[in-house]
Amino acid sequence: MPPLRDKFTIHSKAVVCQDVELKGDITIGSGTVIHPKATLFAIAGPIVIGANCIVEEGAVIVNRRREVMRIGDDNLFEIGCRVECPSIGNSNTVGTRARVHHTLRLSHYCTISAGCLIVPSSDETLDPYTVVYAGENGLCDRRIWSGKGKMQEADLRRKHAEYLRDMLPKFNRLRRGEGA
Amino acid sequence: MPSVHYYCPCLSTSPVPPPPDLESSSYSFHELHTLYFCTEPECMAIRCNRCVSVEVNGYYCPNCLFEVPSASVRAEKNRYGACARNCFQCPSCRNTLVIVASDPPEGSLSASVAAVGITGEPPYFLYCNFCRWDSTEVGITFEKATGLAGQLQKTEETAPDVVEFERLKEHFEPFLRAAPSGGIAHAHSNPITSAASSALSRDISIPGLSKYSALLAGRRGGRNDREKAGTTSKDKEELAEFRSRWETGAGASVAEGEVDWIKHLEDVGEVATIEQRWVGSWTTSMRERDLKPLRIPLHSKKTKRCPQCRHIIIKPEQKSQSVRYKMKLTASNFVPAIAISVPPPVASTKAVDPNAPVTFHAGRTYPFRLAFTNPMYEPTTVTLQVQRAPLLKGRPPFAVSLPSPPFAIAAYAEAWEYEDEDEDMADEDIDALLAGVGSPSGYTQPREVAKPKKPKTVGVLERKANTTVIGGELVIGKEGRGDAKFNLLVTHTYQAEDTAAQEGETEEKSTKTPTSRQAEVKTFSFYIVIDLGVIIPREKEESHRRDSEQMSIS
Ligand SMILES: [Zn+2]
Ligand SMILES: [Zn+2]
Ligand SMILES: [Zn+2]
Ligand SMILES: [Zn+2]
């Protein structure tokens, strides 16, 4: 399969640092923040990221499939995580150094806690509010979050993104989309 | 891996350790970093964690670092010695819980979703940042964000395990009051006895065993009384039998309900894991949904004393934030550190697994090296004496030769004081390297042996800063088998010019006469056990060779 030609579409209100590795057909939505040293690889199909997401340093987002990898709004990808999910809804958190295989899809308000490795043998979609965390036995346990406090958390994430949109451009060169 | 362990004679009446081939031997030997040292002139001995007596210096919460007075730990309010402030653990993943406010009602916000600045409101609840467990799942909420333990106490007070614990305390109180106060404290100050007694008291709280509890306690009490106070075992009869509120048969009805629940179970995640239920002291529900937040148990700082002279060996600073010690007499500051290495055989070209046990062949001779590092500010002289190896059919399986004359180890100095010496060493190293060209296994041959054809293996091989390396030889008999393991008596003699400065002891000065202050010669002996590796017996080796020959034929 031929690699996609590079095509970056970056919303004017997004903050994408210069030192970000982009490959393939990538669309980044309004208010989304991509830290330096993050990597977005659209190997087989395009990647489309929604609004107000945060992609931290060292995070790697890969689309291995031909279909479009859609990432919704208000998602947080923490330092050094690796995500290959074919689709991701809204308000999910992927923790530091967590790794998610391309057989898993995230719906909404899912949390993959720090360091978890999830490799389902067949395609699976996590229900909303699912939390995957490293349990006492070192394996990844799952539970369902009550959702209590989600409004305060959403508020916090918005403030987080807002702060980054203010501060990152002061210390980093930014990328602009083609034609912008 | 070859190893060196140090002997603490506390388990035996003899200062000489048991032969290393006895199974019990390993219990008397310890790693140097776990040992203490009593510097009192009448003791001057290694002490281990098993023999020092332990007193609690103070209690504190490991989460909020609040220091809890011992009196209130003993008092009823502080059940299980847990933090009585706002510290809780997640019952699901053991992370520390935080107190958070509830979201405002959802309807009120729909218009201003974009507006930043949502403030939470009561009720408050406990929340886990890691697995997102929250206490509303088990119906626990708080009106205020402070004094959580106090707010929870009302519900906790009626919990069956708390009620049972209270009843037990009531039951044993007359007995504890009757017991001679000093005697009990002393008996418990040793970690062996205190561990044993706490194990006993733990047994008592197991519902099924409760009918024996009075018996156990009575027996224990009786022995203490006889030993310590010489009173009769009258208390034993006076202590009435304790009746648990929990009837062993009563579990069946609860279990029935759970059987029903399990029959209709669809997700195994709804069952609480053993780890999650393990901390419960009472029969708990099997449902993950029923897990309650856990109090964070207090930690304690402990003072350790010499079992012989009662002098303090370890005393931490009182403050919970501090990690310093007021007194810390660890063996590693007084006893040379000894490291063993066995150079790999010359013929071996294969990469050797560093964790694999070193093996020796019967009838051969192997060199090994012992590196002695002096931790003291005085130079020391060391003499080695091998304890006779165990006999096998009247013949020792192996013999060890080590230098018999005493050898010196330079004093410890701060790194910058070595500077000049290091330059000298560099030249020597070059000489040694040149002399040892073609020397196998990469280690430099010592300078002294540059001239003779046969390199010296027994004797002082190297001196660098406060480390002296000694070469020894392991000679394995034709019938040798088992472990190449032997006890070694190490005697070190040093001129203690000003012990007070080094040991941080002020009393020392006053006891010394002015004449002896000039240069007091001190001698200290201790045993170590050296485990070099495993001897491959001759017959096994031959059968192994036959096997491999057959393999190559076929
Ligand atoms: Zn001991
Ligand atoms: Zn606390
Ligand atoms: Zn948790
Ligand atoms: Zn002592």
Side-chain angles (χ1 to χ4, degrees):
Chain A
M1 116 180 77
L4 287 185
R5 239 189 310 132
D6 285 354
K7 178 169 172 268
F8 312 136
T9 313
I10 300 171
H11 192 279
S12 59
K13 285 202 177 120
V15 169
V16 180
C17 294
Q18 187 68 51
D19 194 10
V20 166
E21 203 164 347
L22 303 177
K23 270 208 177 81
D25 184 351
I26 292 167
T27 307
I28 295 168
S30 165
T32 286
V33 176
I34 318 268
H35 280 253
K37 301 286 179 201
T39 305
L40 304 180
F41 273 1
I43 300 176
I47 296 177
V48 177
I49 301 181
N52 299 314
C53 291
I54 301 170
V55 180
E56 296 187 343
E57 292 96 329
V60 179
I61 297 174
V62 179
N63 184 11
R64 291 180 184 279
R65 301 195 174 186
R66 211 173 287 230
E67 65 201 85
V68 178
M69 175 183 192
R70 281 190 197 282
I71 298 175
D73 303 337
D74 301 311
N75 294 295
L76 171 63
F77 300 93
E78 290 184 343
I79 296 168
C81 68
R82 184 183 178 101
V83 179
E84 303 191 356
C85 308
S87 76
I88 293 176
N90 301 329
S91 304
N92 297 286
T93 305
V94 181
T96 302
R97 293 195 73 123
R99 283 173 296 161
V100 191
H101 202 231
H102 65 86
T103 45
L104 190 81
R105 290 163 194 265
L106 304 183
S107 54
H108 305 293
Y109 292 103
C110 293
T111 305
I112 313 293
S113 285
C116 282
L117 166 67
I118 315 173
V119 189
S121 49
S122 59
D123 276 15
E124 187 189 348
T125 304
L126 283 191
D127 288 335
Y129 300 102
T130 300
V131 182
V132 182
Y133 66 100
E136 279 195 273
N137 45 17
L139 300 171
C140 285
D141 288 336
R142 289 184 187 188
R143 59 191 323 282
I144 300 292
W145 175 34
S146 70
K148 291 250 163 42
K150 69 172 176 183
M151 285 154 80
Q152 291 166 85
E153 188 172 311
D155 181 51
L156 184 68
R157 185 160 304 175
R158 240 159 246 197
K159 280 182 196 153
H160 182 184
E162 201 174 75
Y163 176 82
L164 291 173
R165 284 194 297 269
D166 275 355
M167 299 305 287
L168 281 180
K170 293 186 183 165
F171 305 100
N172 291 276
R173 286 164 163 274
L174 298 190
R175 264 190 201 243
R176 292 280 151 227
E178 277 130 39
Chain B
M1 280 289 281
S3 67
V4 174
H5 288 90
Y6 292 68
Y7 179 59
C8 177
C10 62
L11 281 181
S12 146
T13 47
S14 152
V16 180
D21 57 331
L22 291 185
E23 294 292 331
S24 61
S25 147
S26 62
Y27 296 101
S28 302
F29 286 94
H30 313 268
E31 294 200 54
L32 180 60
H33 70 261
T34 65
L35 293 172
Y36 310 111
F37 196 85
C38 180
T39 54
E40 287 306 303
E42 73 261 36
C43 281
M44 283 295 285
I46 287 175
R47 303 288 180 221
C48 73
N49 246 324
R50 208 181 280 132
C51 57
V52 291
S53 59
V54 181
E55 296 154 25
V56 170
N57 222 21
Y59 297 91
Y60 65 97
C61 169
N63 187 47
C64 64
L65 295 180
F66 183 74
E67 283 154 42
V68 186
S70 302
S72 90
V73 172
R74 269 182 242 114
E76 289 165 89
K77 290 288 173 211
N78 237 296
R79 38 180 229 93
Y80 309 147
C83 181
R85 299 170 91 211
N86 299 319
C87 301
F88 292 90
Q89 255 177 0
C90 174
S92 174
C93 74
R94 299 294 141 80
N95 194 12
T96 306
L97 296 171
V98 291
I99 184 87
V100 294
S102 301
D103 277 344
E106 215 149 333
S108 71
L109 221 93
S110 52
S112 57
V113 151
V116 170
I118 297 168
T119 44
E121 50 189 55
Y124 299 88
F125 56 91
L126 289 165
Y127 172 68
C128 173
N129 268 318
F130 190 64
C131 74
R132 297 195 182 236
W133 178 92
D134 71 59
S135 64
T136 62
E137 292 176 20
V138 288
I140 296 176
T141 55
F142 304 87
E143 280 129 55
K144 288 178 294 161
T146 51
L148 305 182
Q151 293 184 61
L152 262 189
Q153 196 139 349
K154 287 169 215 118
T155 55
E156 280 177 337
E157 266 164 9
T158 55
D161 51 339
V162 178
V163 175
E164 186 76 355
F165 188 63
E166 289 302 320
R167 290 186 66 233
L168 272 167
K169 278 203 289 192
E170 249 166 60
H171 180 77
F172 286 112
E173 204 178 72
F175 162 70
L176 286 172
R177 212 181 296 137
S181 54
I184 290 271
H186 269 269
H188 285 193
S189 59
N190 181 304
I192 303 177
T193 50
S194 64
S197 64
S198 71
L200 278 170
S201 46
R202 197 158 55 235
D203 283 346
I204 290 164
S205 68
I206 295 174
L209 278 177
S210 56
K211 58 179 163 181
Y212 305 112
S213 63
L215 194 66
L216 281 170
R219 205 183 285 152
R220 185 157 54 98
R223 194 172 55 220
N224 268 341
D225 284 356
R226 255 171 271 134
E227 278 173 8
K228 296 291 171 190
T231 57
T232 59
S233 54
K234 203 173 62 189
D235 293 326
K236 192 173 109 188
E237 282 97 62
E238 275 175 7
L239 197 66
E241 190 183 335
F242 180 78
R243 286 191 186 282
S244 169
R245 284 170 56 254
W246 178 265
E247 291 302 321
T248 20
S253 59
V254 180
E256 262 167 40
E258 290 193 328
V259 167
D260 242 25
W261 170 69
I262 284 178
K263 271 184 192 160
H264 299 102
L265 195 70
E266 285 180 5
D267 178 10
V268 75
E270 288 172 33
V271 184
T273 62
I274 294 286
E275 285 89 356
Q276 286 167 342
R277 291 189 291 145
W278 193 247
V279 285
S281 55
W282 202 252
T283 313
T284 49
S285 158
M286 286 179 69
R287 283 162 232 224
E288 211 248 347
R289 289 271 144 195
D290 291 344
L291 294 170
K292 299 274 193 304
L294 306 164
R295 297 274 203 108
I296 292 188
L298 298 178
H299 283 201
S300 62
K301 290 198 167 196
K302 298 181 190 83
T303 295
K304 297 183 178 179
R305 289 177 185 274
C306 171
Q308 298 292 317
C309 68
R310 307 283 304 152
H311 274 87
I312 290 173
I313 288 176
I314 296 286
K315 191 176 180 66
E317 273 188 12
Q318 188 74 31
K319 270 188 165 309
S320 62
Q321 290 98 324
S322 171
V323 290
R324 292 165 190 276
Y325 290 83
K326 281 182 185 155
M327 180 71 95
K328 194 168 119 188
L329 300 174
T330 56
S332 56
N333 286 335
F334 298 94
V335 171
I338 303 167
I340 176 106
S341 61
V342 181
V346 184
S348 137
T349 47
K350 280 180 282 181
V352 187
D353 174 12
N355 292 321
V358 178
T359 51
F360 305 104
H361 297 277
R364 290 198 212 162
T365 299
Y366 296 88
F368 63 88
R369 320 175 104 207
L370 287 172
F372 289 75
T373 304
N374 182 10
M376 297 188 297
Y377 291 107
E378 296 87 20
T380 183
T381 306
V382 172
T383 318
L384 305 177
Q385 196 188 329
V386 179
Q387 195 187 35
R388 207 152 43 90
L391 298 182
L392 179 92
K393 287 186 219 140
R395 198 183 283 176
F398 61 86
V400 172
S401 43
L402 278 165
S404 45
F407 56 89
I409 320 176
Y412 171 82
E414 305 299 340
W416 58 86
E417 295 176 52
Y418 286 129
E419 235 172 279
D420 292 346
E421 212 181 317
D422 267 351
E423 276 164 27
D424 295 345
M425 292 310 280
D427 289 341
E428 283 171 28
D429 280 350
I430 293 165
D431 287 346
L433 270 171
L434 287 172
V437 167
S439 83
S441 69
Y443 70 87
T444 55
Q445 295 295 325
R447 185 175 41 144
E448 304 95 289
V449 296
K451 283 149 278 161
K453 272 172 267 160
K454 192 173 168 282
K456 184 167 83 171
T457 48
V458 177
V460 175
L461 298 184
E462 193 182 318
R463 280 204 174 92
K464 191 160 190 174
N466 59 332
T467 300
T468 297
V469 179
I470 296 299
E473 220 166 40
L474 172 70
V475 183
I476 299 170
K478 287 200 165 59
E479 303 300 316
R481 60 178 65 232
D483 292 334
K485 203 171 173 186
F486 60 95
N487 290 341
L488 183 67
L489 177 66
V490 182
T491 305
H492 78 115
T493 307
Y494 55 97
Q495 305 242 314
E497 274 164 43
D498 187 13
T499 38
Q502 194 216 329
E503 291 163 15
E505 294 259 320
T506 40
E507 302 139 83
E508 194 96 357
K509 260 186 189 152
S510 54
T511 55
K512 254 187 283 168
T513 56
T515 45
S516 74
R517 276 195 68 175
Q518 300 301 312
E520 190 189 353
V521 175
K522 287 197 174 186
T523 297
F524 175 65
S525 295
F526 57 96
Y527 273 96
I528 58 172
V529 64
I530 296 181
D531 187 357
L532 286 168
V534 187
I535 302 170
I536 302 173
R538 186 152 281 204
E539 62 266 37
K540 199 173 168 190
E541 201 180 332
E542 272 159 16
S543 75
H544 180 77
R545 198 180 299 140
R546 266 200 307 278
D547 285 352
S548 55
E549 274 165 16
Q550 275 167 356
M551 292 262 283
S552 59
I553 290 162
S554 63

